[in-house]
């Protein structure tokens, strides 16, 4: 998996964040635009409703000083419409003040609508009840006073200028009845729209929230089911690993221990001791691997139980131990190890270097037994990592006779052919270069990794 693929999740998160910011900006712009429309409509309606404010007009029908002040106050009160979505109780209180002094109740209805939607249930009930009382009061007041002071009389009278002033003659009975019915109907309908519409929107939002919670719970349940299925698979795999390899390694350790005790040849005893040590270390590594597979954290270091040796940690700092263990098995190794800045080596690179050296030595032991192996490992923060493992192409060890060469164990058919591809894949995952193959009369594994000075922890390669 390349770096672009590994960076995709971060790109998706950034894209979602940009989309969320864009939607938030558009939502704010939409709220402001709606507020401007309501403000313009509101000041127009409030200006018309000024005729219902006592003292706003003189006997000649002209706007008095009190009327000018009332209009300015109404405009100031309507400025609260811009905070209707954040603090709905502010336009509600401003609209209530307008309705109590004889003005319109449109701002009050807007505040009631948003209070029902956004305030807590108990607070919404209290504010809605108080607003309904004010609406009823304003409706009754408009119904009881002289039709000339009712703004809705414009609907029935063709000459509006005759409506100004309390001395205006009473309109015909049919016109007065129409004004009264229109006033009562407007009050009831507007109150029902404000409260009913708010309740409907509140219920819709609540249902959407419940659906979102249900979707999240469903996804969580599916995720838990997947985790349980994977846990079951890991348990089965761990059991198979343990049952398949633990018995064979235990038998090898038992026979090698018996050979070490009963052997009369010094080289045989040393080889048996090395074999027993490797079998015991393999058992410890197997226990570590099985525990990691069961818990879903393979490769995590764990303390050894009882008197067993600690499991081998796949890291650059343990490369010397790896070389020493292979040399103890009788392999002629000529190591050159220059290891620096080990505390700052990224975890993935730390493990990769160890596994590459391990696989290269395994290939050398299988395909070129009895020949010297040169191991050159250099690691530093500014120079990166360089692994160079080479051995002659099947040439016998100097001084080895034909009889000794004939006793070599052929291990060339014990692998699955995945060693070299695995080395190359590890190098490519970390942005390195790999050259594996014959080079003259040598077989060379040459791996170069980029410097890691100042770099953060690289992402863990995934399938």
């Amino acid at each position: 998996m390349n770096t672009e693929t590994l960076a995709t999740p971060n790109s998706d998160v950034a894209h979602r964040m940009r989309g969320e910011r864009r939607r938030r900006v558009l939502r704010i712009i939409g709220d402001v635009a709606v507020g401007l429309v309501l403000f313009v409509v509101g000041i127009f309606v409030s200006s018309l409703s000024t005729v219902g404010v006592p003292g706003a007009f003189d006997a000649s029908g002209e706007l008095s000083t009190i009327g000018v002040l009332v209009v300015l106050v109404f405009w100031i009160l309507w400025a609260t419409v811009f905070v209707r979505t954040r603090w709905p109780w502010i336009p509600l209180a401003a609209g209530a003040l307008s309705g109590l002094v004889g003005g319109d109740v449109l701002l009050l209805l807007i505040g009631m609508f948003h209070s029902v939607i956004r305030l807590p249930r108990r607070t919404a009930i209290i504010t809605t009840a108080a607003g309904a009382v004010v609406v009823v009061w304003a409706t009754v007041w408009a119904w009881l006073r002289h039709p000339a002071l009712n703004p809705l009389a414009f609907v029935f009278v063709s000459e509006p200028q005759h409506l100004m002033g309390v001395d205006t003659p009473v309109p015909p009975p049919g016109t007065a009845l129409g004004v009264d019915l229109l006033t009562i109907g407007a009050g009831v309908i507007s109150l029902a729209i404000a409260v009913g519409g708010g309740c409907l929107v509140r219920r819709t939002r609540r249902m959407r929230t419940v659906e979102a919670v249900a979707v999240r719970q469903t996804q969580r349940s599916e995720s838990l089911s997947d985790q349980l299925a994977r846990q079951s698979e890991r348990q089965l795999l761990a059991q198979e690993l343990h049952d398949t390899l633990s018995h064979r390694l235990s038998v090898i350790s038992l026979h090698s221990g018996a050979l070490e005790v009963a052997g009369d040849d010094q080289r045989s005893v040393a080889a048996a001791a090395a074999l027993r040590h490797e079998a015991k270390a393999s058992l410890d590594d197997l226990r570590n691997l099985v525990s990691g597979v069961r818990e879903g954290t393979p490769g995590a270091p764990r303390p050894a139980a009882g008197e067993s040796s600690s499991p081998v940690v796949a890291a650059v700092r343990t490369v010397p131990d790896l070389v020493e263990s292979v040399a103890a098995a009788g392999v002629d190794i000529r190591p050159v190890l220059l290891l620096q800045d080990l505390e700052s080596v990224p975890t993935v690179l730390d493990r990769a270097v160890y596994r590459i050296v391990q696989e290269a030595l395994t290939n050398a032991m299988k395909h070129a037994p009895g020949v010297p192996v040169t191991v050159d490992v250099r690691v530093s923060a500014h120079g990166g990592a360089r692994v160079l493992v080479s051995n002659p192409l099947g040439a016998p060890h100097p001084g080895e006779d034909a009889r000794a060469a004939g006793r070599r164990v052929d291990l060339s058919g014990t692998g699955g052919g995945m060693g070299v591809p695995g080395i190359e894949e590890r190098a490519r995952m970390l942005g390195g270069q790999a050259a594996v193959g014959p080079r003259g009369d040598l077989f060379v594994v040459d791996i170069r990794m980029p410097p890691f000075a100042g770099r953060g922890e690289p992402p863990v390669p995934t399938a």
Side-chain angles (χ1 to χ4, degrees), residues 280 284 287-288 291 302-311:
K280 187 176 181 181
D284 293 333
R287 296 190 190 98
N288 182 39
S291 299
R302 292 174 175 80
E307 299 180 355
S308 301
S309 59
S310 299

Side-chain angles (χ1 to χ4, degrees), residues 46-130:
S46 295
S47 299
L48 291 179
S49 67
T50 308
V51 298
V53 179
F57 289 88
D58 54 24
S60 62
E62 297 294 332
L63 191 65
S64 64
T65 303
I66 296 177
V68 174
L69 294 177
V70 168
V71 171
L72 292 178
V73 170
F74 283 168
W75 283 35
I76 294 174
L77 293 178
W78 267 101
T80 61
V81 77
F82 292 101
V83 297
R84 67 195 184 282
T85 58
R86 189 171 183 86
W87 300 293
W89 56 269
I90 295 180
L92 188 145
L97 178 61
S98 174
L100 290 174
V101 299
D104 68 289
V105 293
L106 179 59
L107 182 59
L108 172 62
L109 294 172
I110 294 174
M112 290 174 61
F113 176 80
H114 287 280
S115 296
V116 172
I117 295 176
R118 305 176 190 281
L119 295 182
R121 182 181 180 86
R122 168 175 278 183
T123 306
I125 292 175
I126 295 175
T127 55
T128 302

Side-chain angles (χ1 to χ4, degrees), residues 340-390:
Q340 302 175 350
D341 307 316
L342 299 185
E343 68 282 351
S344 61
V345 180
T347 303
V348 179
L349 178 62
D350 202 24
R351 181 180 299 275
V353 171
Y354 181 91
R355 294 305 184 194
I356 289 172
V357 175
Q358 184 183 49
E359 186 60 34
L361 290 175
T362 301
N363 287 341
M365 289 187 293
K366 289 196 299 183
H367 301 290
V371 300
V373 180
T374 301
V375 178
D376 189 344
V377 181
R378 304 170 188 265
V379 177
S380 65
H382 294 280
R386 171 78 182 277
V387 177
L388 182 62
V389 180
S390 61

Side-chain angles (χ1 to χ4, degrees), residues 6-314:
L6 293 173
T8 299
N10 294 332
S11 302
D12 292 340
V13 172
H15 180 72
R16 286 195 297 270
M17 292 179 63
R18 287 194 298 268
E20 182 63 27
R21 286 195 296 267
R22 189 181 302 112
R23 287 189 294 271
R24 184 178 181 182
V25 171
L26 292 176
R27 188 163 52 248
I28 293 175
I29 294 175
D31 288 342
V32 173
V34 173
L36 286 174
V37 173
L38 293 176
F39 180 77
V40 173
V41 174
I43 60 177
F44 175 74
V45 173
S46 295
S47 299
L48 291 179
S49 67
T50 308
V51 298
V53 179
F57 289 88
D58 54 24
S60 62
E62 297 294 332
L63 191 65
S64 64
T65 303
I66 296 177
V68 174
L69 294 177
V70 168
V71 171
L72 292 178
V73 170
F74 283 168
W75 283 35
I76 294 174
L77 293 178
W78 267 101
T80 61
V81 77
F82 292 101
V83 297
R84 67 195 184 282
T85 58
R86 189 171 183 86
W87 300 293
W89 56 269
I90 295 180
L92 188 145
L97 178 61
S98 174
L100 290 174
V101 299
D104 68 289
V105 293
L106 179 59
L107 182 59
L108 172 62
L109 294 172
I110 294 174
M112 290 174 61
F113 176 80
H114 287 280
S115 296
V116 172
I117 295 176
R118 305 176 190 281
L119 295 182
R121 182 181 180 86
R122 168 175 278 183
T123 306
I125 292 175
I126 295 175
T127 55
T128 302
V133 171
V134 176
V135 171
V136 172
W137 157 258
T139 302
V140 173
W141 188 9
W143 175 49
L144 294 176
R145 62 192 172 193
H146 194 281
L149 300 178
N150 193 325
L152 298 178
F154 285 102
V155 177
F156 296 92
V157 180
S158 59
E159 297 180 0
Q161 66 272 14
H162 293 163
L163 295 174
M164 303 302 176
V166 293
D167 295 333
T168 303
V170 178
T175 301
L177 180 60
V179 172
D180 293 339
L181 292 178
L182 182 60
T183 300
I184 297 174
V188 173
I189 293 174
S190 60
L191 183 61
I193 292 176
V195 178
C199 291
L200 180 61
V201 174
R202 183 187 183 99
R203 182 178 180 84
T204 302
R205 290 188 173 184
R206 183 179 180 184
M207 292 302 297
R208 289 179 179 175
T209 302
V210 171
E211 291 177 358
V213 172
V215 170
R216 287 196 296 269
Q217 291 294 336
T218 302
Q219 293 176 348
R220 182 180 180 185
S221 298
E222 294 176 352
S223 177
L224 290 176
S225 298
D226 293 341
Q227 292 180 9
L228 290 175
R230 288 194 294 267
Q231 179 68 24
S232 178
E233 293 174 357
R234 287 196 297 265
Q235 292 283 355
L236 181 60
L237 178 59
Q239 188 64 39
E240 290 294 325
L241 282 173
H242 182 272
D243 293 345
T244 303
L245 298 178
S246 178
H247 173 72
R248 294 183 182 274
L249 290 174
S250 299
V251 171
I252 293 174
S253 178
L254 179 63
H255 284 285
S256 59
L259 180 61
E260 181 181 1
V261 173
D264 54 359
D265 182 81
Q266 188 65 29
R267 291 187 60 188
S268 299
V269 172
L275 179 60
R276 184 177 60 83
H277 175 75
E278 289 299 322
K280 187 176 181 181
S282 298
L283 280 170
D284 293 333
D285 289 340
L286 178 61
R287 296 190 190 98
N288 182 39
L289 177 60
V290 167
S291 299
V293 170
R294 284 176 174 168
E295 299 173 9
T297 56
R302 292 174 175 80
E307 299 180 355
S308 301
S309 59
S310 299
V312 176
V313 178

